[in-house]
Amino acid sequence: MSDNPFERYGLDPFAGPARITERLRELAEDCEDEHERAAIREAWEALTLHPRRRLELALQAHPESRPALGRPPRPRRRARTEDPLGLADLTALPSVAGALGPIELPDIPLDEDEILTGRKR
């Protein structure tokens, strides 16, 4: 069994503290073993009270490896014409990211980040 709480309890690494709390509360309510309940509480504390630890554990969690449910959508077929490609097919589409220019992020330590900690600087 994995030591990573995201993997051990089947949590989504993209989930925030509210969703993590909800899921771990459900697991703790269904659990009859006190040792397991204590382990769930320890995982809850690590994932909800310590943003940096949650990020570290989320980055260490293995990505979903099961195949997607259902079939992938079939690609659309082009109507057959005498000229299969037109000028519009050869032009580059505009990019929103290119229009905005480079995005610069501030160099703030994670434990001081207002979004992650919920505290104003």
Side-chain angles (χ1 to χ4, degrees):
M1 188 170 281
S2 174
D3 290 335
N4 190 317
F6 286 108
E7 295 172 2
R8 183 174 185 183
Y9 300 112
L11 301 171
D12 180 7
F14 294 106
R19 286 182 47 204
I20 290 171
T21 299
E22 179 183 338
R23 178 66 181 133
L24 290 178
R25 181 180 293 135
E26 291 171 358
L27 291 173
E29 288 172 355
D30 294 342
C31 184
E32 295 178 10
D33 182 22
E34 283 301 317
H35 294 293
E36 184 62 24
R37 189 172 288 132
I40 291 172
R41 176 155 180 87
E42 185 178 318
W44 174 80
E45 289 177 357
L47 296 177
T48 60
L49 301 179
H50 307 287
R52 174 175 277 176
R53 184 68 181 139
R54 180 173 65 245
L55 177 62
E56 290 170 353
L57 290 168
L59 292 173
Q60 293 171 4
H62 292 288
E64 182 64 55
S65 60
R66 292 179 291 187
L69 297 175
R71 286 186 284 153
R74 287 192 277 178
R76 290 184 166 189
R77 292 186 154 199
R78 290 181 53 93
R80 293 187 180 242
T81 62
E82 290 180 19
D83 184 20
L85 292 177
L87 185 58
D89 296 318
L90 301 175
T91 58
L93 298 174
S95 170
V96 173
L100 296 176
I103 297 174
E104 295 182 24
L105 299 174
D107 187 26
I108 299 173
L110 292 177
D111 56 346
E112 296 177 12
D113 191 327
E114 292 177 13
I115 295 172
L116 295 175
T117 62
R119 297 183 310 243
K120 296 280 184 187
R121 289 193 338 160

